[in-house]
């Protein structure tokens, strides 16, 4: 186990835990339920989301074997059948509005065992969840080719005209009945909204009108794969052609090792509505050139070009040195759709070299980091506000529209708040424009605590600002609140004086701070003052309006101070 853990780490993976079916069930459902479950050891391995080629045992083992230099990387080959012998998939124009793309391939003379079959189904499921974005971008269908006859047609029909027997069901249903049937299915119900409200549903037929599948929901029962299946027809339909090609490439490269001629795939001709044709799978190999010094410099090592080429070959990127040793030519196999840029190649070289083997050095540029002045000021103020007897609170930066507008007696349009486009909950609809609601909610949650409650927070608020590149701006605010049987305005006023004393701002008009009577919707009339400093208004203090207090489910009077501390940096 330790050796395997070490190997995974060297290969850039993480062995998450070593467990068994019994352990998993007993953890989730208790020991009683786990009786009779398997004790076979299971490795739970974390695979990076971009490495689709490691999502099944076949790909993972192949990758590790190449990494350990026990086998050479196989060469994937597509076999194009002779004229008139190959299979065709014809796409009609009815699909354009719903799922316009389809690709297909055939695995000939494949031998399944129980484990291989399970792995084959499992890989499709993992791809569906990952690159296929829960089947929204691509849906995979695999069929027993010997039960059907080509050419195949991918079209779209009104749900009432579609009728077939879905996978593992005992009778035929229309498409509308199928939707109702799977509405309660824990696994398939998540995919129904993808086509549910469309006037036509995508469907694939063979030449005799047998239904292969209704993507992205379910395959037909007629074509289901068993352990005796010898020839597998794979179709991927979707809204994103690039992803569909990648998914098809991954499935055929992973499982072609079980074909009679290992690593060969039979091609299928796809005919588009405009009459054009294309052969899939593409299984495209391409070459990239990278300078060895570029790799060395980026990683911080000094390897020879030939040893860099060897490192990359171990990572399934067959490489050799060209020219007079100043270029490495790398062949990207169809399994590695994640190699998009030279930096992906550099990363693989670093993994093969071993992150732990890279020497740590002091950076060439000699710079000394310093705390951001605004953060330093906020830290200093926090200590002194705590020393003044106030307790620090840390509240969410997002809140509901009511919190910053209705409850404070303001209109939402006047707050200039930044809205979240699709909020998960009503509590997180906008970014806060004031710290006051957060502190009032904190007091509401702590009403059982002995009075007085004295809280403060120094954090950022966010307001819209069309003059910035992102359309919004942050301001660092200080907010303090005093909650007791009497309003305690003098305590909050005293805190303001203490803050100004710490900031060395004298109480005068010329170069110091002053307070002037003002009106604020959240404050009691005649009990609100505006604070001016450095020639500008920096905030307000006062006794909160009874309406505000009751809207936050509080019962006692409360006074508050909120100022912007950025002018004092």
């Amino acid at each position: 186990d330790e050796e395997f853990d070490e190997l995974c780490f060297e290969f850039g993976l993480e062995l998450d835990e070593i467990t068994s079916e019994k352990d998993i069930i007993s953890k989730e459902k208790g020991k009683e339920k786990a009786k009779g479950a398997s004790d076979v050891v299971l490795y739970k391995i974390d695979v990076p989301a971009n490495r689709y080629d490691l999502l099944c045992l076949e790909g993972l083992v192949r990758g590790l074997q190449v990494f350990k230099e026990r086998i050479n990387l196989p060469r994937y080959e597509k076999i194009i059948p002779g004229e008139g012998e190959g299979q065709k998939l014809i796409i009609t124009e009815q699909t354009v509005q719903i799922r316009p793309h389809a690709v297909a391939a055939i695995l000939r003379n494949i031998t399944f065992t129980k484990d291989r079959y399970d792995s084959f189904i499992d890989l499709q499921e993992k791809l569906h969840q990952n690159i296929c974005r829960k089947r929204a971008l691509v849906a995979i269908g695999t069929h027993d080719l010997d039960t059907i006859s080509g050419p195949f047609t991918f079209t779209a029909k009104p749900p009432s005209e579609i009728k077939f027997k879905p996978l593992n069901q005992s009778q035929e249903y229309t498409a509308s009945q199928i939707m109702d049937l799977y509405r309660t299915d824990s696994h398939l119900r998540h995919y129904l909204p993808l086509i549910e409200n469309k006037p036509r549903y995508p469907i694939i037929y063979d030449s005799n009108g047998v239904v292969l599948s209704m993507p992205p929901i379910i395959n037909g029962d007629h074509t289901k794969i068993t352990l005796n299946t010898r020839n597998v027809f794979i179709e991927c339909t979707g809204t994103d052609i690039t992803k569909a090609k990648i998914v098809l490439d991954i499935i055929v490269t992973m499982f072609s090792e079980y074909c009679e001629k290992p690593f060969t795939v039979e091609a299928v001709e796809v005919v588009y509505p405009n009459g054009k044709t294309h052969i899939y799978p593409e299984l495209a190999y391409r070459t990239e050139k990278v300078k060895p010094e570029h790799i060395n410099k980026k990683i911080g090592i000094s390897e020879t070009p030939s040893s860099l080429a060897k490192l990359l070959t171990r990572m399934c990127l067959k490489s050799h040195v060209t020219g007079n040793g100043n270029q490495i030519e790398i062949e990207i196999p169809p399994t590695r759709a994640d190699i998009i840029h030279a930096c992906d190649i550099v990363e693989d070289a670093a993994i093969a070299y071993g992150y732990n083997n890279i020497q740590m050095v002091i950076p060439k540029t000699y710079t000394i980091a310093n705390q951001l002045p605004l953060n330093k000021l906020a830290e200093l103020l926090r200590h002194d506000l705590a020393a003044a007897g106030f307790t620090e609170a840390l509240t969410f930066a997002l809140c509901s529209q009511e919190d910053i507008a209705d409850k404070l007696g303001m209109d939402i349009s006047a707050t200039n708040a930044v809205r979240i486009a699709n909020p998960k909950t009503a509590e997180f609809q906008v970014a806060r424009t004031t710290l006051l609601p957060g502190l009032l909610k904190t007091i509401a949650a702590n009403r059982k605590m002995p009075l007085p409650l004295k809280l403060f927070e120094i954090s950022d608020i966010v307001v819209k600002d069309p003059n910035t590149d992102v359309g919004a701006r942050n301001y660092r605010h200080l907010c303090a609140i005093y909650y007791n049987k009497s309003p305690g305005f003098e305590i909050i006023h005293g805190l303001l004086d203490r803050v100004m004393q710490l900031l060395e701002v004298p109480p005068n008009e010329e170069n110091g701070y002053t307070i002037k009577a003002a009106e604020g919707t959240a404050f009691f009339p005649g009990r609100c003052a505006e604070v001016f400093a450095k020639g500008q208004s920096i905030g307000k203090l006062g006794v909160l309006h009874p309406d505000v207090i009751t809207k936050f489910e509080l019962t006692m009077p409360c006074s508050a101070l909120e100022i912007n501390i950025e002018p004092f940096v």
Side-chain angles (χ1 to χ4, degrees):
D1 287 348
E2 280 166 17
E3 285 174 315
F4 185 68
D5 188 10
E6 191 59 33
L7 174 62
C8 282
F9 181 79
E10 283 171 16
F11 190 56
L13 305 176
E14 189 182 350
L15 180 58
D16 205 22
E17 61 174 322
I18 298 167
T19 178
S20 69
E21 217 168 88
K22 200 170 190 174
D23 284 352
I24 295 171
I25 297 172
S26 64
K27 253 186 213 168
E28 288 174 4
K29 299 179 181 169
K31 285 190 175 161
E32 285 302 306
K33 291 263 165 60
K35 279 184 182 161
S38 160
D39 274 337
V40 177
V41 173
L42 296 176
Y43 285 158
K44 201 169 169 187
I45 301 169
D46 259 353
V47 175
N50 58 347
R51 289 297 300 269
Y52 315 116
D53 56 317
L54 305 178
L55 284 177
C56 63
L57 189 65
E58 288 71 14
L60 184 64
V61 169
R62 198 179 302 160
L64 288 170
Q65 293 276 42
V66 173
F67 183 68
K68 297 283 281 176
E69 298 178 88
R70 291 183 181 172
I71 60 168
N72 288 327
L73 185 67
R75 183 96 197 164
Y76 306 104
E77 232 184 297
K78 71 172 163 195
I79 295 168
I80 299 174
E83 190 63 43
E85 287 174 21
Q87 294 290 0
K88 277 187 185 175
L89 176 62
I90 299 156
I91 305 177
T92 67
E93 66 249 337
Q94 280 85 353
T95 59
V96 172
Q97 303 302 322
I98 306 158
R99 285 180 100 74
H101 305 293
V103 298
I106 293 168
L107 293 175
R108 281 273 175 207
N109 300 320
I110 191 167
T111 310
F112 278 122
T113 61
K114 177 86 179 73
D115 287 341
R116 293 174 185 182
Y117 175 81
D118 290 346
S119 178
F120 186 57
I121 301 299
D122 198 39
L123 173 65
Q124 291 174 48
E125 200 38 55
K126 285 202 171 68
L127 290 169
H128 272 151
Q129 294 309 317
N130 181 349
I131 181 176
C132 304
R133 292 286 177 275
K134 302 205 162 117
R135 304 194 189 178
L137 302 181
V138 187
I140 310 159
T142 52
H143 313 278
D144 185 335
L145 184 62
D146 300 325
T147 63
I148 40 181
S149 60
F152 305 102
T153 309
F154 174 42
T155 183
K157 285 189 166 183
S160 54
E161 293 176 26
I162 298 172
K163 192 170 186 188
F164 68 100
K165 184 168 146 191
L167 193 61
N168 300 332
Q169 296 293 333
S170 54
Q171 65 184 75
E172 289 197 346
Y173 295 94
T174 65
S176 320
Q177 290 168 327
I178 289 172
M179 291 307 228
D180 295 334
L181 179 69
Y182 290 126
R183 217 173 291 288
T184 52
D185 185 289
S186 62
H187 175 59
L188 290 174
R189 64 161 192 248
H190 306 294
Y191 309 122
L192 302 184
L194 293 174
I195 59 168
E196 199 166 19
N197 300 323
K198 302 275 196 293
R200 291 168 171 264
Y201 289 0
I203 187 104
I204 302 177
Y205 292 104
D206 80 345
S207 57
N208 301 324
V210 173
V211 171
L212 277 71
S213 69
M214 183 171 83
I217 312 297
I218 190 83
N219 286 356
D221 192 66
H222 183 87
T223 60
K224 89 167 161 203
I225 294 179
T226 63
L227 297 185
N228 303 324
T229 299
R230 298 287 291 147
N231 300 304
V232 179
F233 178 71
I234 302 164
E235 40 83 8
C236 300
T237 61
T239 51
D240 182 327
I241 185 69
T242 312
K243 300 266 195 304
K245 289 184 203 170
I246 293 172
V247 169
L248 186 67
D249 279 353
I250 293 293
I251 293 177
V252 297
T253 51
M254 292 302 111
F255 285 89
S256 54
E257 73 171 80
Y258 301 134
C259 292
E260 203 170 346
K261 278 194 190 154
F263 307 114
T264 60
V265 185
E266 184 179 314
V268 172
E269 186 178 5
V270 173
V271 184
Y272 291 102
N274 60 8
K276 286 189 177 161
T277 63
H278 196 97
I279 303 283
Y280 292 104
E282 289 193 339
L283 288 187
Y285 282 86
R286 70 174 209 273
T287 55
E288 297 282 347
K289 290 192 166 90
V290 182
K291 287 188 160 56
E293 60 266 27
H294 175 76
I295 298 178
N296 278 329
K297 189 178 166 194
K298 286 273 184 251
I299 305 174
I301 54 177
S302 50
E303 291 289 291
T304 61
S306 58
S307 75
L308 286 174
K310 194 176 168 196
L311 289 176
L312 287 166
T313 303
R314 285 177 58 202
M315 293 302 286
C316 301
L317 300 172
K318 200 170 167 196
S319 309
H320 60 272
V321 183
T322 59
N324 45 10
N326 59 0
Q327 285 270 26
I328 297 178
E329 196 172 277
I330 299 125
E331 184 179 59
I332 318 288
T335 46
R336 293 299 304 272
D338 59 300
I339 306 285
I340 298 169
H341 183 275
C343 65
D344 298 310
I345 294 169
V346 174
E347 181 193 13
D348 269 12
I351 291 171
Y353 184 80
Y355 283 175
N356 287 348
N357 301 328
I358 299 170
Q359 288 294 310
M360 287 195 186
V361 289
I362 291 168
K364 299 267 193 304
T365 48
Y366 185 66
T367 56
I368 296 174
N370 221 332
Q371 200 175 6
L372 202 64
L374 181 60
N375 286 348
K376 188 168 185 183
L377 175 67
E379 285 296 324
L380 292 167
L381 279 173
R382 282 190 179 112
H383 280 284
D384 280 297
L385 285 171
F390 282 72
T391 304
E392 183 169 23
L394 188 62
T395 62
F396 288 119
L398 298 179
C399 59
S400 68
Q401 291 192 15
E402 283 84 58
D403 289 344
I404 56 166
D406 308 359
K407 289 185 181 176
L408 299 180
M410 282 176 77
D411 185 51
I412 187 73
S413 56
T415 58
N416 225 358
V418 176
R419 293 181 188 213
I420 309 295
N422 48 350
K424 263 273 163 68
T425 67
E427 282 295 290
F428 297 145
Q429 294 171 321
V430 290
R432 61 182 172 194
T433 54
T434 160
L435 300 178
L436 192 57
L439 289 183
L440 289 169
K441 280 154 89 175
T442 307
I443 288 182
N446 290 284
R447 281 174 300 204
K448 294 195 173 66
M449 303 299 276
L451 295 173
L453 288 174
K454 298 155 79 174
L455 298 182
F456 80 91
E457 180 171 12
I458 301 179
S459 288
D460 279 3
I461 61 115
V462 185
V463 287
K464 280 188 192 159
D465 181 352
N467 303 323
T468 61
D469 52 352
V470 291
R473 186 184 287 281
N474 287 21
Y475 290 103
R476 187 70 49 92
H477 274 203
L478 176 159
C479 184
I481 202 161
Y482 178 81
Y483 180 73
N484 201 358
K485 288 175 180 157
S486 64
F489 180 72
E490 66 285 354
I491 289 172
I492 284 292
H493 191 177
L495 186 72
L496 173 69
D497 290 346
R498 174 67 180 141
V499 168
M500 292 300 166
Q501 187 186 1
L502 291 163
L503 294 170
E504 297 180 1
V505 180
N508 61 37
E509 278 200 33
E510 284 77 60
N511 55 356
Y513 75 100
T514 54
I515 63 173
K516 290 181 181 155
E519 289 302 317
T521 51
F523 295 98
F524 203 83
R527 295 281 184 90
C528 170
E530 198 161 2
V531 187
F532 290 89
K534 306 255 176 167
Q536 66 191 70
S537 165
I538 58 164
K540 287 192 172 117
L541 80 156
V543 179
L544 292 184
H545 199 289
D547 288 353
V548 174
I549 291 170
T550 50
K551 279 177 184 161
F552 281 97
E553 299 168 19
L554 300 175
T555 50
M556 307 269 180
C558 182
S559 51
L561 155 75
E562 181 159 4
I563 58 169
N564 176 7
I565 61 168
E566 293 195 6
F568 305 107
V569 175

